[in-house]
Amino acid sequence: MAVAAKTGNEAMAEAMRQINPDVVAAYPITPATEIVMIFAQFVADGLVDTEYVPVESEHSAMSACVGAASAGARVMTGTSSQGLAYMYEILPIAAALRLPIVMCEVNRAISGPINIHCDHSDTMAARDFGWIQMFSENAQEAYDNTLQAVRIAETVKLPTMATTDGFIISHCMERIETLEDDQVKDFIGEYKLTPSLLDIENPTTRGALDLQDYYFEHHVGVGEAMKGARSIIKSVAEDFNKKFGRKYDLIEGYKLEDAERVIVALGSTCGTLRAVIDELREKGAKVGLLKIRVFRPFPADEIAKALSNCRSVAVLDRVEPWSGVGSQTFVEVRSALFNLAKKPKLINYMYGLGGRDISLKELAGVYENLKKADSLQEVNYLGVGE
Amino acid sequence: MASLKDLANRKEGLSGGHRACIGCGATIVARQIMLASPDPVVVVSATGCLEVTTTIFPYSAWNVPFLHNAFENAAATLSGVEAAYNAFMRKGKIAKKINFIAFGGDGGTYDIGFQSLSGAMERGHNLLYVCYNNEAYMNTGVQRSGATPRGANTTTEPVGKVRQGKVKFQKDLTAIIAAHNIPFVGQSIVGNWADLTRKAEKAFATPGAKFINVLQPCRLGWAYKPEETAALGRLAADTCVWPLYEVEKGILKVTFKPREKKSIMDYIKKQDRFRHLTRPENAGLVAEIQAEIDRRWELLISKDGKQLY
Ligand SMILES: Cc1ncc(C[n+]2csc(CCOP(=O)(O)OP(=O)(O)O)c2C)c(N)n1
Ligand code: SF4
């Protein structure tokens, strides 16, 4: 175990060095560029023996990842925003082919207009493409999630993205604890995909034309794998905790047990919320945080259970999906609560788009509003100007 | 070069029983290219007729490892396969020599897949990209592509009262790829197995990125009798509509010069996509097409034997 000061991007790049994947194919985009830049330096310095493919676009990056993973390689990439959007066409193909590609994704606003700062509109728009999605609260989690993503992807046989928040995590220096190289090696193990496309004695056809008679079944198969991913993600986290003493789960509660008012959030805002909750608790408020670490598969049962005894809940989402009915996490949390006999009052806050700061005061205001949630409208913006 | 007898004794990469049209030239291209490889091959195909007619799940006509990813990314996908192979070679996990082949139609190569192709060529992956060029998007019903010749009737640039099919001449993709300074680029035809085989053998023997553009008569889009595929291909070479040449280490070589250059009209008359060009009022357009073909041919001949890149 070593202690170091690292940005989120450095933490993810360091995890990649220790993973030492067979193939990395990537294309630069702010604020994820650094991950691959640092990794390219590892390649140039001979610190990894990865076949590094500096492609001409993200579309080709994901395409090359699909090719390499089909050949049986351990494959990684990194991207953000428009880069992820440019991969959208290939993301569900990677999932349908059951390829355990691991992506370091830095959450950033989607154009337009163009904006380089953090929100979750890129990752949320990719939520239905069959990728496991993990959100990180800080650089430590970015590092830990990247390592766990390898085990998860390869066990579930689904591609997995570990995400950080653009600039907030990707570029801020934090204290993190890294593992020894051989600890990582031991934790992720050897990867072997059988059968591989390179098995010329036993040729396989992949990505075939899949018409009415089988396409449906194949899609159901991916859906079942995603459902099954829940327990695998939990057991990988348990093993990680047992070996390295850091605890993870699909969701995480902070002062949740006796909380009457709960704020649900993802990513770096959870860190800010902990401070807000501490302050409010000192004043006697029964408030807690529910952090969603894993968004796909969606931990609906766990969320329903965690929220079943509280009175009101605010779901904070760093995205405005233009759906007319609130943001993605809100909609999914609401449906998770539907079968509860006694439901808390639920409200939605969309906040922080395009890198808009969220202040302690605003978050404390959310708690104030939760006390009069019955009189509030369901879907709200937080921190938006007139 | 392997004799016809040698080739006939090799194992076919593509078996019969696929769903391509009778007389389809695309499957001929795929078979002959694979037969020319002395080593095992791994194939990636772009979306298009070749892939769609050979892989209807749960059947497959491929006797070799085959991967289809999407329409425009065969070159990038194969880059990844080749990268994995290199990684395994370096780590001692694999030792066998394998040849990597990407097949793409003209749509997946000239148009939407152009970026991915150019990137893969520039990066110099050790692979062969083969464009089976039927001069339109056949899989989706004969729409124009950047490879469609001037005057051809397609569903997205059709013949009408004021327009006579495709307005512009096709781009010269072979030259564009040659300008990537890759070690081998060739242009060949269905109907001249020896020319195609020789070029493919050269490509397989050359390390680095290689590209072969094969004109492929298409039954549906060109509309001719199924038994005439090979003859029509040869006619394209005889009329110099589709010159056979290669650029090896930068030196251009014309590999077929017709003893007597045939008129473009001989070629036009054979195909329904050009039927409107046989009408007297289109004589001027035919003359223009002939002039452009002559110009391109003469330019090519003037470069024969010369170092281009
Ligand atoms: C991104 C995308 N756009 C459009 C299509 C629809 N599409 C599938 S195959 C094809 C045309 C293929 O034409 P070509 O590459 O010339 O091959 P051919 O069918 O002639 O063999 C098109 C337009 C697609 N699959 N993906
Ligand atoms: S439409 Fe043309 S290219 Fe497609 S299968 Fe038929 S003949 Fe072959």
Side-chain angles (χ1 to χ4, degrees):
Chain A
M1 196 87 78
V3 175
K6 285 198 190 303
T7 66
N9 281 347
E10 287 169 352
M12 282 182 144
E14 175 66 2
M16 283 177 74
R17 182 189 66 72
Q18 296 181 310
I19 292 162
N20 191 9
D22 296 307
V23 175
V24 167
Y27 191 78
I29 180 165
T30 304
T33 311
E34 256 179 5
I35 301 171
V36 182
M37 269 165 52
I38 298 167
F39 188 78
Q41 194 63 50
F42 294 149
V43 175
D45 291 335
L47 297 178
V48 287
D49 45 8
T50 301
E51 193 72 15
Y52 166 56
V53 193
V55 281
E56 84 299 333
S57 71
E58 289 85 356
H59 193 284
S60 285
M62 190 40 60
S63 302
C65 286
V66 165
S70 299
R74 185 173 259 163
V75 181
M76 294 185 74
T77 188
T79 195
S80 181
S81 183
Q82 302 308 109
L84 185 65
Y86 201 27
M87 291 178 178
Y88 284 167
E89 190 205 9
I90 312 303
L91 297 179
I93 298 175
L97 292 174
R98 306 291 303 272
L99 301 172
I101 298 162
V102 170
M103 181 195 296
C104 297
E105 149 67 14
V106 182
N107 299 305
R108 168 186 146 182
I110 282 267
S111 291
I114 187 164
N115 175 299
I116 58 164
H117 292 284
C118 173
D119 67 37
H120 294 173
S121 54
D122 51 353
T123 301
M124 282 294 163
R127 76 196 186 283
D128 296 338
F129 293 147
W131 282 60
I132 291 168
Q133 295 188 327
M134 304 156 86
F135 284 78
S136 317
E137 185 179 324
N138 50 39
Q140 182 69 61
E141 292 195 9
Y143 175 81
D144 293 350
N145 283 344
T146 304
L147 298 181
Q148 290 178 57
V150 175
R151 272 269 298 269
I152 293 166
E154 291 170 9
T155 313
V156 183
K157 293 193 169 61
L158 278 183
T160 300
M161 54 181 92
T163 79
T164 66
D165 284 356
F167 293 105
I168 302 164
I169 300 175
S170 68
H171 283 64
C172 286
M173 191 73 81
E174 288 179 67
R175 174 196 183 280
I176 79 161
E177 289 176 6
T178 57
L179 307 176
E180 301 301 328
D181 289 1
D182 54 359
Q183 286 179 306
V184 170
K185 212 172 156 193
D186 177 62
F187 177 73
I188 61 172
E190 270 275 310
Y191 169 60
K192 196 166 172 350
L193 171 80
T194 45
S196 145
L197 184 71
L198 296 176
D199 184 353
I200 46 177
E201 261 84 50
N202 305 292
T204 44
T205 294
R206 295 145 195 254
L209 181 66
D210 211 13
L211 299 176
Q212 309 87 315
D213 30 11
Y214 292 97
Y215 176 89
F216 200 167
E217 282 73 17
H218 292 148
H219 260 238
V220 169
V222 174
E224 291 297 315
M226 188 58 90
K227 235 191 269 171
R230 244 172 287 210
S231 63
I232 292 169
I233 297 167
K234 274 172 160 296
S235 76
V236 169
E238 272 159 29
D239 191 43
F240 191 86
N241 185 28
K242 203 166 74 209
K243 288 194 166 102
F244 312 123
R246 289 199 287 271
K247 207 166 170 321
Y248 289 97
D249 206 333
L250 305 174
I251 58 170
E252 195 183 310
Y254 183 65
K255 307 201 172 165
L256 198 59
E257 291 72 26
D258 62 337
E260 289 173 0
R261 321 280 174 194
V262 177
I263 302 176
V264 177
L266 297 84
S268 58
T269 303
C270 296
T272 323
L273 275 166
R274 286 175 204 270
V276 172
I277 284 163
D278 286 347
E279 225 169 78
L280 291 168
R281 281 269 172 184
E282 263 170 41
K283 291 181 202 150
K286 289 207 164 169
V287 59
L289 161 71
L290 188 149
K291 170 173 116 179
I292 300 181
R293 172 182 175 244
V294 176
F295 188 76
R296 279 291 179 271
F298 194 71
D301 295 346
E302 289 81 356
I303 290 171
K305 199 163 153 236
L307 298 179
S308 58
N309 289 323
C310 60
R311 291 165 64 181
S312 56
V313 175
V315 178
L316 268 53
D317 233 346
R318 207 167 190 134
V319 53
E320 154 56 291
W322 297 334
S323 70
V325 293
S327 59
Q328 289 93 332
T329 313
F330 169 68
V331 170
E332 301 219 6
V333 170
R334 188 171 55 184
S335 95
L337 301 185
F338 186 78
N339 287 333
L340 289 181
K342 191 170 114 300
K343 296 186 215 357
K345 170 76 189 172
L346 196 65
I347 52 174
N348 183 199
Y349 284 100
M350 293 178 255
Y351 77 99
L353 267 71
R356 176 71 49 86
D357 271 343
I358 181 86
S359 67
L360 300 171
K361 206 169 134 227
E362 281 166 324
L363 292 172
V366 168
Y367 168 70
E368 288 309 316
N369 285 343
L370 276 177
K371 290 195 283 190
K372 47 176 188 249
D374 284 334
S375 63
L376 281 182
Q377 57 184 17
E378 219 177 28
V379 178
N380 309 276
Y381 295 115
L382 184 61
V384 71
E386 291 305 314
Chain B
M1 191 188 121
S3 68
L4 203 50
K5 203 170 145 197
D6 293 338
L7 295 177
N9 282 328
R10 288 186 186 165
K11 193 166 181 278
E12 287 274 7
L14 190 65
S15 66
H18 51 69
R19 323 262 179 110
C21 307
I22 298 169
C24 172
T27 47
I28 301 175
V29 175
R31 285 178 53 223
Q32 291 186 356
I33 292 277
M34 287 190 285
L35 284 176
S37 172
D39 299 301
V41 300
V42 169
V43 169
V44 168
S45 174
T47 314
C49 275
L50 182 68
E51 166 261 336
V52 160
T53 60
T54 55
T55 71
I56 305 177
F57 192 87
Y59 306 105
S60 171
W62 297 89
N63 292 323
V64 298
F66 174 94
L67 172 64
H68 162 253
N69 187 349
F71 183 21
E72 62 290 309
N73 61 357
T77 305
L78 193 59
S79 301
V81 177
E82 189 253 3
Y85 174 75
N86 291 341
F88 292 154
M89 284 287 246
R90 202 175 31 236
K91 293 175 184 176
K93 289 185 179 174
I94 210 167
K96 233 189 187 93
K97 167 126 171 46
I98 296 177
N99 285 325
F100 295 98
I101 311 172
F103 290 112
D106 48 293
T109 307
Y110 280 61
D111 294 348
I112 198 168
F114 182 61
Q115 171 189 302
S116 145
L117 171 63
S118 176
M121 297 288 110
E122 179 264 327
R123 292 190 301 275
H125 294 276
N126 189 18
L127 57 85
L128 168 63
Y129 190 103
V130 178
C131 175
Y132 64 97
N133 176 4
N134 46 38
E135 301 189 326
Y137 303 160
M138 299 312 179
N139 180 48
T140 38
V142 201
Q143 292 88 22
R144 62 88 79 192
S145 82
T148 304
R150 175 137 201 229
N153 187 18
T154 60
T155 52
T156 48
E157 261 193 270
V159 174
K161 291 202 178 76
V162 297
R163 286 200 190 197
Q164 300 300 309
K166 175 97 180 290
V167 175
K168 298 284 179 190
F169 287 97
Q170 67 271 51
K171 65 174 149 179
D172 189 351
L173 187 73
T174 312
I176 296 167
I177 301 301
H180 284 65
N181 278 292
I182 58 172
F184 184 83
V185 164
Q187 195 162 280
S188 192
I189 194 93
V190 168
N192 186 340
W193 69 268
D195 185 79
L196 182 57
T197 301
R198 210 178 35 75
K199 284 173 182 155
E201 283 181 345
K202 252 189 199 175
F204 289 131
T206 311
K210 288 86 57 177
F211 175 82
I212 302 180
N213 196 347
V214 192
L215 188 73
Q216 177 243 310
C218 160
R219 291 262 303 106
L220 178 76
W222 297 21
Y224 59 88
K225 291 199 197 91
E227 61 273 23
E228 285 179 358
T229 300
L232 198 53
R234 286 192 289 270
L235 193 54
D238 287 339
T239 50
C240 301
V241 160
W242 191 256
L244 308 190
Y245 72 99
E246 63 197 22
V247 182
E248 196 179 358
K249 299 199 175 69
I251 301 171
L252 188 140
K253 195 170 126 204
V254 177
T255 57
F256 174 77
K257 290 179 190 152
R259 226 170 293 152
E260 198 191 332
K261 188 165 165 241
K262 291 194 172 143
S263 144
I264 177 75
M265 209 57 196
D266 295 339
Y267 185 65
I268 283 171
K269 275 189 312 210
K270 292 268 180 200
Q271 306 168 48
D272 217 29
R273 63 175 173 160
F274 294 128
R275 189 175 45 184
H276 53 290
L277 295 181
T278 59
R279 294 201 297 259
E281 65 269 28
N282 279 330
L285 178 53
V286 173
E288 246 180 79
I289 294 169
Q290 182 71 64
E292 178 62 11
I293 283 161
D294 293 347
R295 190 189 71 81
R296 290 189 183 194
W297 172 248
E298 272 144 36
L299 194 64
L300 190 73
I301 290 293
S302 75
K303 292 176 181 167
D304 192 13
K306 304 230 165 79
Q307 182 89 41
L308 294 184
Y309 304 105

